[in-house]
Amino acid sequence: MSGGPEMEHKQAPDEPTAGPVDFCRLDEAIRRYVRPGDAVHVMMGHSRWSALVRELARQHWGRPSRFTLIMASLSSLGAVLFRAGCLEKVVTVYSGDSFPVFTPNPVFQEAYASGAVEVENWSFLTYIQRLRAAATGVPAVVTGSVRDSSMAENEAYQEVETAFGRVSLVAPLVPDVTLVHAAVADRQGNLAIAPPMFEGVVGALASRRGVIATVEKIVDDLRPWSSMVRVPAHRVLGVVEAPFGAHPGGVYPGPAGARLPVRGYVEDIPFWVAAREATRGAEFDAWLREWVLEPADHEAYLAKLGADRLGGLVREAEEPGPAAAPARRGEPPSGPEKAAVWLADLVARRVAETSADTVLAGAGLANLAAWAGVGRAKAAGHRVALAAELGLWDYAPAPGDPFIFSFRNFPSSTMLLDTEQVLGNLVNGRFLRSIACVGAAQIDRRGDINTTRVEGGPYLVGSGGGNDVITNADEVLVVGTMGRRRLVERCGYVTSPGRRVSAVVTDLGILTREDGELVLTHVAPGPEPLADRVARARDRCGWALAVSPRLRELREVTTADVEELRSFDPEGHFLGRASRPATTTEATHHVAAATTAKKERKADARTR
C-alpha cells in the first residue's frame, strides 16, 4: 500500500527511531544524540538550567559546531555556550541576566553586534506557538501577538486576509533535539515534572529526533504521579540520573500532598550572581575553567559545590528562612521607590474603577508596585488575581523575596500553570479584564516600548512576555525613573506597540495618554514652586512634553509606603541602593558609551 508524499517517513535513515530509552551517562547522552549543525532546544520550566547544557559546552568547546540554540531565556549562563564558540544562531525571547536584577549581558551584546551569533527575537507566546505548530504538524498557528512590533519583520511571521478577517500567523519552529531537566523518570523513560511549567513541554513534542533528559531520580513506577507525567517515553532518546542536575536552577517537587518522590531545592542565587559578575570582565575565562571545563563530570561538579551548599538549597525549599529586614530602614525614599508607590496607588484605583480580574507585572520595579497595589485592592474587597508569566495565578508574594519567579511564591498560587495558559488564556483572555504593569528601557511619546535594541547602539534584552501582555491587556501601566534616555521622541525598535499604554508613572510625575500622546497630568510634590517641578519633568523628557490643563499634584510618599515596598525587596535590588548592580537602562547607556568609544578609537587608528 503506497502513501503520498505526506505519508513519507520524516526521519533520515540514520536517525534514532522509537525504541527502548537509553539510560546512560551525561557525556554519553550528548555524544550520542547531539550532532554538529543541530537546532538544539533547551526546554525551560521552573528549572531553568541543566547539566546537559554544561556538558554540551564542554564537548563542543572551541568547535565550529554551528548549533542553532532555541532557548526562551538565556540568563547569565547562556553566555557559557556563546563563549564556547559553538553557536551560529539563537532563537530566543530574552537575552539578558535574571539575577540579581534584569540587565543586558555584554557577552550576548558583543556576539550580536559583531555578527558572530545571529539572533532571532520573539515574544514568549509566539515562541511557544511556533513550537506548537511544529508539534502538531500544521503549517502555521494563529497568534494575537507581535503585530505592529518590529518582530513582525521576522520571516516566520505573516499577516493574511481570510474569510474570517485579517489574521497573524507564525510558522513552525522545529528543533532537532531537546534538552530538559525533569524531576523524575520511570524505567520506561516517561518524564514527570511538577508545575509551574513556563514554556510547557510542547518543544519536547516538536523535536525532530526527541528528548535527552537529566532527572533527579529514576523510579520503577510513575503511575501514582501520572498527573505530573509530562513527556511520554516515546519521545525520549536518553535519560541520565543526575541529582541537582538543574543547578544553579532549582526543582519544585509539587505542592504538599501531591509531591513527586524527590527532595526539591531552590535556585542558587549567589551562583547566578557570580556567573553574572564573571561575564563582566576578564575573569570570565577563569570562571568557565573552574565551573565548566575542569570538573571531570557531574559528580566532580557537585563535589566542588559541596554538601553543605547543596543541603542548604534543599532545606530552603522545605523550610524557607525568615524574611530579611530591610537594609535601608529609615532612609528617605529613592526615585524608584516614589515611582513604585504612585504606581501601586494607580493599580489599586484602576482595579476598583474597572473591576479588573487580574494584574500581571513584569519583573523588577513594576512587579513590586503591582504586589503592593493588588494587596491594597484585595484588602478593599476586590477579587483580583495576581499573575506571573512563569505560570502562577492568584498567588501571594512572599515577604523578603523580590524575585518574580521565586519558588516561595509557588505554594500560595491558586493555580500552577504555564506561560501559554496564563498569558494566552487568562491575562489576555477574551472574558477576563486585565491590567499589565511593566518597565521599559525606552518609551516614546506614543507609548511604543523598546526593550530589545537601541537604534545604532547596543542590544538590550528582548521581549520576554512584554509584547504579549502589552499588546493584548486591557490596560498597560509603565513605571520607571524619568530621563531623556528612557523617554525618547521615537523608539527605533518597537518591542511592544503602545496603543494600550494608558499611563507612565515616574519619580517626577505621571504621563497619561491623551489624544494618542503621553502628556504630563500629575506632578510630584516638593518644596519647589509648581512651575519649577513641571519644568524639571519637561527637561527630563526626550520630547516636547505637553502639560495637561487639568494638572494635579501627587501625594507625599510616606514611611509606611516605602517600608511596605522594602519588605518585599529588603536588599534594594530594584528599589535603589548605592551598591546595586546597574539597571537595564544604566547598563545599556554604559555599553553604548563603550561602543562609541571603541568605534572612535578604530576611526582614529585608521586615520593614523
Side-chain angles (χ1 to χ4, degrees):
M1 181 174 177
S2 176
E6 71 278 2
M7 298 296 292
E8 292 178 358
H9 190 58
K10 297 179 181 179
Q11 293 174 311
D14 61 340
E15 290 181 338
T17 57
V21 173
D22 184 9
F23 291 86
C24 56
R25 298 194 315 266
L26 194 63
D27 59 330
E28 293 172 336
I30 294 297
R31 189 173 298 111
R32 291 172 184 172
Y33 301 113
V34 181
R35 307 169 184 173
D38 273 352
V40 180
H41 173 222
V42 178
M43 198 173 88
M44 290 186 58
H46 59 262
S47 297
R48 62 178 72 213
W49 192 247
S50 165
L52 284 163
V53 186
R54 194 173 65 251
E55 182 63 27
L56 180 69
R58 282 169 51 86
Q59 290 192 21
H60 290 267
W61 197 270
R63 294 169 56 185
S65 299
R66 299 177 294 102
F67 291 133
T68 293
L69 176 64
I70 301 172
M71 187 173 183
S73 179
L74 298 179
S75 295
S76 308
L77 285 176
V80 171
L81 290 174
F82 278 65
R83 187 57 62 89
C86 58
L87 299 183
E88 183 175 70
K89 180 177 179 179
V90 172
V91 181
T92 188
V93 169
Y94 179 83
S95 298
D97 305 310
S98 298
F99 296 106
V101 291
F102 296 85
T103 53
N105 185 287
V107 174
F108 307 142
Q109 290 178 315
E110 292 166 10
Y112 297 159
S114 69
V117 177
E118 178 188 353
V119 60
E120 186 177 307
N121 296 293
W122 294 93
S123 69
F124 266 126
L125 273 182
T126 50
Y127 172 92
I128 295 167
Q129 288 161 342
R130 291 196 63 201
L131 291 169
R132 184 169 299 287
T136 54
V138 297
V141 163
V142 175
T143 184
S145 301
V146 172
R147 181 178 290 188
D148 298 327
S149 77
S150 296
M151 288 178 285
E153 299 172 7
N154 289 344
E155 288 185 7
Y157 174 84
Q158 192 174 131
E159 295 176 20
V160 297
E161 295 292 345
T162 74
F164 307 104
R166 189 169 182 83
V167 299
S168 303
L169 300 171
V170 289
L173 177 59
V174 187
D176 290 300
V177 65
T178 291
L179 311 183
V180 62
H181 184 79
V184 188
D186 64 17
R187 301 198 184 279
Q188 286 70 49
N190 299 297
L191 305 178
I193 311 170
M197 294 295 296
F198 216 154
E199 70 177 66
V201 299
V202 66
L205 306 178
S207 186
R208 184 175 281 110
R209 294 202 299 273
V211 175
I212 311 168
T214 48
V215 297
E216 297 295 313
K217 186 178 182 180
I218 298 171
V219 300
D220 291 329
D221 187 3
L222 272 175
R223 282 173 293 186
W225 303 275
S226 59
S227 64
M228 286 188 276
V229 175
R230 307 297 185 183
V231 181
H234 306 76
R235 289 267 63 215
V236 178
L237 297 168
V239 173
V240 180
E241 190 171 65
F244 293 96
H247 184 273
V251 167
Y252 181 59
R259 292 184 184 275
L260 289 166
V262 292
R263 298 183 74 183
Y265 50 95
V266 298
E267 304 226 30
D268 190 341
I269 293 176
F271 193 99
W272 282 110
V273 173
R276 175 197 184 276
E277 295 307 308
T279 63
R280 264 63 184 170
E283 66 271 19
F284 190 36
D285 288 337
W287 187 93
L288 288 166
R289 284 194 301 273
E290 180 180 6
W291 290 105
V292 177
L293 299 177
E294 290 180 353
D297 50 29
H298 184 60
E299 289 70 26
Y301 176 83
L302 296 184
K304 184 171 180 59
L305 287 168
D308 289 345
R309 182 172 192 163
L310 296 173
L313 299 175
V314 172
R315 288 190 295 274
E316 181 67 18
E318 295 174 347
E319 298 181 11
R328 300 177 60 243
R329 189 180 298 277
E331 292 186 21
S334 65
E337 286 173 333
K338 292 178 183 178
V341 168
W342 293 325
L343 176 57
D345 287 348
L346 184 55
V347 168
R349 185 169 74 249
R350 292 302 293 155
V351 168
E353 292 170 348
T354 66
S355 298
D357 297 291
T358 180
V359 173
L360 184 138
L365 193 64
N367 192 50
L368 301 180
W371 285 356
V374 168
R376 295 176 200 172
K378 282 181 172 286
H382 298 287
R383 191 183 66 168
V384 58
L386 192 63
E389 64 190 23
L390 171 66
L392 309 185
W393 177 261
D394 195 22
Y395 72 99
D401 194 335
F403 302 117
I404 189 170
F405 302 140
S406 171
F407 284 25
R408 289 186 177 193
N409 295 330
F410 296 177
S412 68
S413 299
T414 299
M415 292 193 291
L416 293 176
L417 305 167
D418 60 32
T419 298
E420 192 169 23
Q421 291 170 309
V422 168
L423 290 186
N425 301 338
L426 294 173
V427 172
N428 297 335
R430 181 180 177 187
F431 300 109
L432 292 178
R433 182 170 182 84
S434 61
I435 296 173
C437 298
V438 300
Q442 290 184 327
I443 183 167
D444 65 25
R445 65 195 307 162
R446 301 179 305 175
D448 289 344
I449 291 172
N450 175 26
T451 58
T452 303
R453 64 169 182 258
V454 175
E455 192 171 24
Y459 189 90
L460 302 176
V461 294
S463 167
N467 175 276
D468 305 307
V469 67
I470 294 167
T471 299
N472 297 299
D474 293 283
E475 182 174 0
V476 179
L477 308 175
V478 183
V479 67
T481 52
M482 200 161 189
R484 286 177 171 268
R485 291 174 174 171
R486 175 175 277 118
L487 283 81
V488 298
E489 175 77 28
R490 186 179 181 85
C491 289
Y493 187 102
V494 177
T495 307
S496 306
R499 59 181 173 270
R500 295 182 188 265
V501 173
S502 63
V504 180
V505 184
T506 79
D507 54 327
L508 300 184
I510 298 179
L511 284 60
T512 306
R513 178 184 292 276
E514 293 186 359
D515 299 324
E517 182 172 311
L518 293 168
V519 303
L520 187 67
T521 56
H522 299 74
V523 68
E528 304 95 339
L530 177 64
D532 291 349
R533 284 178 274 139
V534 170
R536 185 187 306 115
R538 298 190 70 196
D539 182 63
R540 297 279 294 277
C541 186
W543 68 86
L545 180 63
V547 180
S548 171
R550 298 175 296 280
L551 182 71
R552 289 188 287 177
E553 191 171 68
L554 292 162
R555 70 176 179 88
E556 292 282 356
V557 173
T558 68
T559 300
D561 291 325
V562 294
E563 289 301 321
E564 179 184 25
L565 289 172
R566 292 172 187 173
S567 72
F568 292 127
D569 185 15
E571 295 183 31
H573 290 299
F574 303 111
L575 295 174
R577 59 189 173 102
S579 61
R580 62 181 169 82
T583 64
T584 298
T585 303
E586 291 165 345
T588 297
H589 301 158
H590 173 76
V591 173
T595 301
T596 301
K598 186 175 182 180
K599 289 179 179 178
E600 290 173 349
R601 288 194 298 272
K602 287 183 177 179
D604 289 344
R606 285 194 298 269
T607 302
R608 291 195 296 270

